[in-house]
Amino acid sequence: MQNILSRLSVWKVIAILILASGAVAAYVRVTQGLGASTNMNDSFPWGLWIGFDVLCGVGLAAGGFTVAAIVYIFNIKRFEPIVRPTILTAFMGYLLVIVGLMFDLGRPFQIWHAIIMWNPRSVMFEVAWCVMLYTTVLALEFSPVVLEKFKMKKTMHVIHKVSVPLIIIGVLLSTLHQSSLGSLFLIVPEKLHGLWYSPYLPVFFYVSAIAVGCAMVIFESFLSSRAFKKGLEMNLLTEIGRVSVVMLAIYTTMKIVDLLDRHALSLLFQPTPETYFYWLEISVGVLLPMVLLSIRKIREHQTGLFASATMMIIGFILNRMNVSITGMEGWAGKSYFPSWMELAITASIVTAGFITFYYAAKYLPIYNHEQHEPAKKELHPYVEDLLSVSQQAN
Amino acid sequence: MATKKAMLIDLTLCVGCNACQDACKIENKLPEGEEHELSSTAYTALNEYNGVYVRRMCQHCVDPTCASVCPVGAFTKTPEGPVLYDESKCIGCRYCMQACPFQVPRYQWTSTYPKVMKCKFCAERQAQGLQPACAEACPTGATTYGNRDELVREAYDRIKAEPEKYVNKVYGVEEVGGTSILYLSSVPFEQLGFKTNLQSTALPMLTWNVLSKIPNVVTVGGVMLYGIWWITNRRKEVEEYEKKQQELERRGNGNNH
């Protein structure tokens, strides 16, 4: 008994409690339907599961394509050490989306209908295809980790061969997917509050996703450095922090131009709940971290960097919740707050994501993989030719 | 081309007898009982605003938002007018409910295999040459059924004949590109719970403007990314080659000494 107790840390107890409540909630959801388990209703057909699990799950996975593009498309190889954990994080994000959707959809076992019943006019159709295809791409991008573990050299070689087109497809799918989540709300111009509704919603969603993708890389690196008692690549993370300042600056500029464009600046100063939530989102998620991270001392300081990244993530989540919930309340004339069961299921999926990440990082070569780079790298045939010619000349 | 059908609901003639809802519930085999809001058991409902009875139902838009947003195409707009829902296709994402500018579709929240519930404009009755159940049941002529063109003309004629009685607007002619259900009223529509801030062009264009750019994003983006990769990769190769070259030269020089 004593032995068991001593092995249970506080975090484990919390995880077990969350998962247990999630199991109860899942049982109610499956046996009694959405009405009994959620606070959604005819005025509020989309709740926490769309607002958080789907919109944030996809967004927080954005580090995956950003870092993959940096390392493999732009060939900035010094970022290679963070590729694997980032792709694993992205994978967890999509897990959150897919599992969340299975709870949220009224008829989850017909989800495959989107494969054969097409409606190209629908943004949701695009979203469905992006989820399917990009999850596949992520699985392939992650496969070398598993293949390396089980020493399947041949298959690894095949994956390595197609890696560049694979990364390009991944970047394209992510671009479409991140922006299309914003496009989902283009169809509700009269419902969504003027602080958030904009014809540029897809662009805002895309840029903010890249920014928060950077923040997630920093956040995840800090957590794993604590969990696995390993060092931090502070120089790389500081650089990522600098990239996110640029993204936040672009985002802020676009937001201001957009408000000016729509003559909506006055909305910023109206004493309504929407205005307060907007300012909270913008100050915590955009302005504060942008200022903090632009100060070199803070950017190069562990706590400063981690705190700024955390703020960006909170602000990002606030933004997605504001677009999908806060901004819709005025029109619906009703307010919505998730039921404990909605919260429990979401928390359980997130917890499951953390646990999966932990064990994947523990047993798979995520952090300490062989640097199969420079040593015996094969050169381009053209270079080989040149070399042999020059050797002969000598 | 099939003639577009419509219904004209003249709120000034409605006495609130609820015959339309009763007939609707019988026709669609929905549980009995008077309801004042649309619900999963009421495809139409009468609500009172300061003595004015307002009957709500699916507007059967000319270019329906629900049909455009549904990822699996569960909604179809028939040439005659009805917007129909095919529950066998539905995956239950509820984007139709989120997107409908009139907030019409309702959900069976208590079911474990729920479907979206909304007025069918009695498409089956119309196919048999009958008028919708609610129009047939209306004792005062507040709801009339006919060809859309003729009903629009009729509505404007009524306003012209009694301009002091009606507000100068036929709701449904312009809203989100036009609807099959038209309203006349003696009280400004915004006071009766109608959404009057709707744009006059169809909503699906808002998303189509973006969706139609996807092929461009994919081709231009793909070529651009490949181009960037080619340049950066080439640069790396050249760098490596030059390094080797220098090494060879150094070795060559060493041999000469």
Side-chain angles (χ1 to χ4, degrees), chain A residues 174-354:
Chain A
S174 296
T175 304
L176 294 180
H177 193 189
Q178 299 292 352
S179 58
S180 65
L181 290 179
S183 312
L184 278 180
F185 294 89
L186 285 178
I187 202 100
V188 289
E190 73 291 333
K191 292 188 185 180
L192 185 55
H193 192 276
L195 280 171
W196 292 285
Y197 186 86
S198 154
Y200 297 104
L201 266 172
V203 185
F204 290 153
F205 267 53
Y206 183 57
V207 176
S208 58
I210 296 177
V212 87
C214 297
M216 278 300 281
V217 171
I218 297 169
F219 184 76
E220 171 273 310
S221 296
F222 272 80
L223 289 192
S224 12
S225 87
R226 283 197 58 175
F228 301 108
K229 305 200 170 44
K230 65 176 195 64
L232 268 174
E233 292 105 352
M234 265 313 277
N235 53 334
L236 291 185
L237 297 183
T238 302
E239 258 185 276
I240 299 263
R242 224 172 56 191
V243 174
S244 61
V245 173
V246 175
M247 294 318 293
L248 288 177
I250 295 174
Y251 185 73
T252 313
T253 315
M254 287 194 317
K255 280 285 217 188
I256 295 170
V257 171
D258 171 58
L259 284 174
L260 280 171
D261 244 22
R262 292 186 290 117
H263 308 288
L265 270 185
S266 61
L267 289 175
L268 289 174
F269 308 104
Q270 276 165 14
T272 62
E274 284 90 352
T275 316
Y276 304 141
F277 273 100
Y278 185 82
W279 276 110
L280 189 68
E281 162 203 328
I282 291 290
S283 50
V284 171
V286 183
L287 300 179
L288 221 68
M290 184 167 64
V291 172
L292 288 176
L293 286 176
S294 58
I295 301 167
R296 197 194 182 113
K297 254 195 176 150
I298 296 178
R299 197 169 61 228
E300 288 177 353
H301 192 273
Q302 289 200 5
T303 320
L305 190 61
F306 181 69
S308 310
T310 312
M311 275 193 271
M312 280 172 71
I313 293 167
I314 293 171
F316 176 87
I317 293 171
L318 266 172
N319 171 257
R320 297 310 195 247
M321 303 293 255
N322 280 343
V323 170
S324 62
I325 295 168
T326 319
M328 304 291 275
E329 283 184 334
W331 190 89
K334 290 196 175 110
S335 62
Y336 159 89
F337 193 82
S339 71
W340 74 262
M341 286 182 264
E342 286 175 271
L343 289 165
I345 285 178
T346 296
S348 295
I349 306 173
V350 174
T351 309
F354 271 103

